Amino acid sequence: MHTVEELEAKLSEPSQALISEIAQLEGDIMILGVGGKMGPSLAKLAKNAIDKAKVDKKVIGVSRFSNKELQRELEDYGIQTINADLLEDDQLQSLPEVKNVIFMTGHKFGTTGNEHFTWAMNAYLPGQVAKKFKNSRIVVFSSGNVYPLTPVFMGGASEEYPTGPVGEYAQSVLGRERVFEHFSRKYNIPMLIMRLNYAIDLRYGVLHEIATFVKEQKPIDLRMGHVNVIWQGDANEIALRSLRFCEVPPKILNVTGPETISVRWLAERFGEKFGIRPIFVNEEEDTALLSNASKAHYLFGYPRVSLRQMIEWTAEWIKSGGVSLGKPTHFQEREGKF
């Protein structure tokens, strides 16, 4: 893949399992926060699955659409769009009723110094959305940041592991989960909460950052020495297929790849691809932000795109001068400040 068009096509390619499940799913699909990094490809993936299933179902994307070009792109793809600021209650209440809602709205980067807005987006808004869509199924995008840093030898926190968010962003994300859970129990709303870390495509993400640092011969901080990653297309597919697993109280599901990956090892692999020796600073600490996603793998199978494939694609993208979104993940952050 060397163009954005090729990348978008790969990200929005549905599996046969998704096509079969979309065919059986009752009702239209609304994506709240469709304008973010993952939203456009999720909307296209849903539309492609619907088309291949040959069913009559709408995909509706809701966003403030500061990027009008994106709104036109989605409309041209056959996705209905609605321009709305969900924090404005009259705009939220004006949205049509749908059977299936995917909640992707949230705020992370820029939390420090703007904590009040982060809490409004991540903990207040979920209650308003839940009340509005109390007759729907809701899949909620959350984050592995609700877990504390855990010993690397554990292989990541499973869903049974106690939460322990570090910093206000992570605390507000746990707030999102708790508020959704409250209204799920109160109104009997079937929900599933996806704790995701870290989705990648070739324009951003942990692999993109490490590869870029290697290529530009910038030092790589090893203190957060281990990570999990998953191909964005696989994460989006899990989100759509999760609609049939919504329950009361909400099902919790870690979503990431199966490997606990060494950052040093990743950098060395990219170094081999580029013919460059990576530069490292500091040493790996004994703990990291890691998730055990074996429950998701049990329900949906292992991700279709392997780690080695992601490394290969990312290296080729960087070498060919592929576009970057310029949105770092800050995966190295250990103090929870975003």
Side-chain angles (χ1 to χ4, degrees):
M1 290 179 285
H2 295 97
T3 68
V4 171
E5 291 74 23
E6 290 173 327
L7 172 58
E8 289 286 349
K10 178 60 71 175
L11 286 169
S12 56
E13 190 177 84
S15 69
Q16 190 56 54
L18 175 59
I19 295 166
S20 298
E21 290 170 20
I22 283 286
Q24 299 168 40
L25 185 70
E26 179 191 358
D28 298 329
I29 300 170
M30 179 178 286
I31 302 165
L32 303 179
V34 76
K37 291 196 296 286
M38 296 180 67
S41 61
L42 189 149
K44 292 175 183 178
L45 176 66
K47 183 67 170 65
N48 288 344
I50 288 167
D51 289 347
K52 288 181 181 293
K54 296 181 170 59
V55 291
D56 182 19
K57 209 181 299 289
K58 289 188 292 188
V59 179
I60 304 165
V62 181
S63 172
R64 286 177 295 178
F65 286 113
S66 53
N67 182 350
K68 298 302 179 187
E69 185 178 334
L70 172 62
Q71 187 170 15
R72 285 193 295 272
E73 177 186 325
L74 293 177
E75 288 279 356
D76 290 344
Y77 209 87
I79 296 156
Q80 181 182 334
T81 64
I82 299 175
N83 193 315
D85 181 344
L86 298 180
L87 282 175
E88 297 296 331
D89 195 57
D90 59 333
Q91 296 182 40
L92 173 61
Q93 297 307 321
S94 71
L95 296 178
E97 294 294 330
V98 291
K99 280 289 186 183
N100 306 287
V101 174
I102 298 182
F103 183 89
M104 304 184 81
T105 304
H107 188 255
K108 181 176 184 179
F109 301 114
T111 288
T112 301
N114 200 26
E115 291 84 357
H116 59 91
F117 180 72
T118 298
W119 281 91
M121 288 294 292
N122 293 349
Y124 163 77
L125 181 59
Q128 302 301 99
V129 166
K131 286 187 286 185
K132 163 65 181 176
F133 293 106
K134 57 177 176 286
N135 297 314
S136 306
R137 303 178 199 90
I138 305 177
V139 168
V140 177
F141 271 70
S142 186
S143 169
N145 284 97
V146 299
Y147 297 117
L149 303 184
T150 55
V152 173
F153 69 78
M154 271 182 49
S158 66
E159 292 85 353
E160 298 82 11
Y161 197 82
T163 54
V166 178
E168 291 224 23
Y169 161 69
Q171 292 164 15
S172 73
V173 172
L174 184 58
R176 173 196 297 154
E177 292 190 9
R178 298 295 190 235
V179 171
F180 268 123
E181 180 186 355
H182 168 74
F183 287 102
S184 170
R185 291 173 183 271
K186 180 173 181 177
Y187 295 122
N188 205 40
I189 309 169
M191 294 185 187
L192 183 143
I193 294 173
M194 278 180 46
R195 292 175 176 169
L196 174 65
N197 63 305
Y198 288 96
I200 73 149
D201 82 12
L202 304 184
R203 297 163 293 186
Y204 80 93
V206 173
L207 300 191
H208 179 96
E209 289 174 40
I210 293 173
T212 301
F213 271 54
V214 172
K215 183 96 169 22
E216 297 177 355
Q217 296 189 283
K218 293 180 179 178
I220 297 165
D221 188 341
L222 290 177
R223 285 175 294 181
M224 187 73 84
H226 296 81
V227 292
N228 306 127
V229 301
I230 185 170
W231 179 243
Q232 181 179 297
D234 285 321
N236 280 341
E237 170 136 340
I238 288 172
L240 289 167
R241 294 183 65 191
S242 289
L243 285 164
R244 73 187 185 96
F245 289 101
C246 292
E247 59 189 34
V248 181
K251 179 185 284 290
I252 304 295
L253 200 64
N254 292 344
V255 175
T256 194
E259 301 94 350
T260 295
I261 313 163
S262 159
V263 170
R264 184 189 296 272
W265 179 86
L266 276 176
E268 288 170 346
R269 299 293 72 74
F270 286 120
E272 291 171 358
K273 301 286 185 188
F274 301 145
I276 296 171
R277 184 184 295 275
I279 301 168
F280 299 113
V281 294
N282 301 314
E283 295 292 326
E284 293 89 341
E285 297 202 15
D286 295 334
T287 59
L289 182 68
L290 295 167
S291 296
N292 177 330
S294 56
K295 184 188 288 187
H297 303 150
Y298 171 72
L299 293 175
F300 304 110
Y302 285 110
R304 289 188 294 163
V305 178
S306 70
L307 174 60
R308 291 279 185 167
Q309 182 67 82
M310 287 186 274
I311 291 171
E312 193 75 32
W313 284 344
T314 301
E316 287 300 316
W317 187 264
I318 297 291
K319 281 198 288 187
S320 65
V323 67
S324 169
L325 295 182
K327 295 181 177 180
T329 62
H330 298 281
F331 74 90
Q332 306 97 329
E333 176 57 47
R334 299 183 64 87
E335 305 299 326
K337 296 177 181 176
F338 297 101

